[in-house]
Amino acid sequence: MSEVQPGRRRREMPEGLWIRCEGCATMLYRRILEEELHVCPECQHHYRVDARTRIRQLNDPDTFEEFLPNLQSTDPLEFTDRVAYRERLERTRSETGEQEAIVVGKGFIKGRPVIMGVMNPHFIMGSMGAVVGEKVAAAAERAADERLPLVMVTCSGGARMMEGMVSLVQMAKTSAALARLDDAGGLYIAVLTDPTTAGVAASFAFLGDFTLAEPGALIGFAGPRVIAETIKATLPEGFQRAEFMLEHGFVDRIVHRRDLRNEIARLIDFCNK
């Protein structure tokens, strides 16, 4: 074993420079992973990203203007499980720097103006409570008023049960807002990322005129383990992954993250002909 010479310090490796890929276990230099839009260059595993990162990836530089940034969920049930819901909200806001699990605003994708909503998987697993539902509905209404395409990037564990029925009615609320957008002749593009499940999948995520998905994304209502245990059967290989959903007609196209900007712009141009 080599020894460190007297008077010289062993050079320490800074923490956080490397990350082990969740898909293939390859050691990745974090900066390279960021340059690749948080997609493993070896196996193409698509990492979950926060809302602000996704906004930077999709929008032209410095074009996104957020609206309704200060809406906050309340605690209508004074809910407590392992920790009080109010405390969980405060802690999550501090950890993420966000007020809620979705960011909505107006931006530009390759020069095309859009109204956009992006869910944040790091905010109580992107769950939909009253504020998320309000922001989705407001984005749909603004898209209809300004006659602009609506782009929603979903990433969610479903309805936020700590808000009880207040959360569940957001499924109907968001669906009704998108119906009004459709009646106004508006374009809605849904981008489903890992995971898109439960109440979000059962409402606004699957109402797009075009439904895109990232490779390997888990998409569906109940999770595979719950379904397998309920029906007492072995599920098909890749059940509820984006590729399975494409094969069975629930998704229109699987799009690699690096191609999303081009694909959304192409769809907008196609509908504007």
Side-chain angles (χ1 to χ4, degrees):
M1 181 184 296
S2 63
E3 295 182 356
V4 179
Q5 297 178 7
R8 297 185 63 183
R9 294 183 178 178
R10 185 183 299 274
R11 188 173 182 181
E12 299 291 341
M13 178 67 71
E15 294 184 3
L17 286 181
W18 295 85
I19 184 171
R20 187 181 298 276
C21 176
E22 298 173 0
C24 64
T26 299
M27 293 301 296
L28 303 171
Y29 190 37
R30 189 177 294 273
R31 182 181 297 175
I32 296 298
L33 186 63
E34 292 172 356
E35 292 174 353
E36 295 291 329
L37 304 181
H38 298 270
V39 176
C40 174
E42 299 296 327
C43 70
Q44 305 303 305
H45 173 74
H46 282 52
Y47 279 80
R48 296 171 187 172
V49 296
D50 62 78
R52 302 292 171 177
T53 298
R54 179 77 68 171
I55 287 168
R56 289 193 297 271
Q57 289 177 354
L58 287 177
N59 286 269
D60 299 344
D62 301 320
T63 64
F64 186 81
E65 298 179 358
E66 184 179 1
F67 54 81
L68 301 178
N70 297 318
L71 288 185
Q72 290 187 347
S73 288
T74 60
D75 184 13
L77 303 182
E78 298 183 353
F79 185 90
T80 297
D81 48 15
R82 290 175 300 172
V83 62
Y85 178 44
R86 190 176 299 275
E87 180 181 338
R88 190 189 302 271
L89 283 170
E90 292 174 356
R91 184 176 63 194
T92 305
R93 288 170 188 145
S94 176
E95 291 173 350
T96 64
E98 299 291 351
Q99 298 301 310
E100 254 300 337
I102 191 170
V103 177
V104 294
K106 180 178 180 179
F108 287 78
I109 298 178
K110 299 184 77 67
R112 286 81 169 170
V114 299
I115 301 298
M116 177 179 289
V118 180
M119 303 194 76
N120 190 344
H122 306 306
F123 197 106
I124 313 182
M125 198 46 244
S127 52
M128 178 169 63
V131 169
V132 170
E134 175 63 21
K135 285 191 171 186
V136 172
E141 291 166 359
R142 184 157 175 175
D145 291 342
E146 299 189 21
R147 304 186 65 82
L148 292 176
L150 175 65
V151 178
M152 280 286 169
V153 183
T154 62
C155 186
S156 176
R160 191 175 302 172
M161 300 310 296
M162 293 83 89
E163 296 184 21
M165 186 57 67
V166 174
S167 173
L168 292 176
V169 298
Q170 305 308 313
M171 297 169 61
K173 178 177 181 175
T174 56
S175 299
L178 288 168
R180 291 192 292 271
L181 174 64
D182 185 62
D183 290 341
L187 170 63
Y188 173 35
I189 300 172
V191 181
L192 314 187
T193 74
D194 183 63
T196 295
T197 59
V200 169
S203 56
F204 67 90
F206 270 107
L207 294 176
D209 297 299
F210 297 101
T211 304
L212 310 179
E214 289 192 331
L218 177 66
I219 301 168
F221 186 68
R225 185 180 63 181
V226 174
I227 294 174
E229 291 177 351
T230 300
I231 66 176
K232 308 300 181 185
T234 300
L235 300 176
E237 183 73 20
F239 179 72
Q240 287 191 325
R241 292 293 170 179
E243 294 74 14
F244 183 92
M245 303 300 280
L246 175 67
E247 182 180 347
H248 290 80
F250 291 95
V251 168
D252 294 316
R253 189 172 181 185
I254 296 173
V255 184
H256 193 285
R257 190 170 293 170
R258 65 170 175 264
D259 299 322
L260 270 175
R261 274 170 49 83
N262 287 336
E263 182 64 14
I264 293 171
R266 186 184 71 84
L267 291 174
I268 292 172
D269 289 348
F270 175 79
C271 294
N272 285 336
K273 288 182 179 179

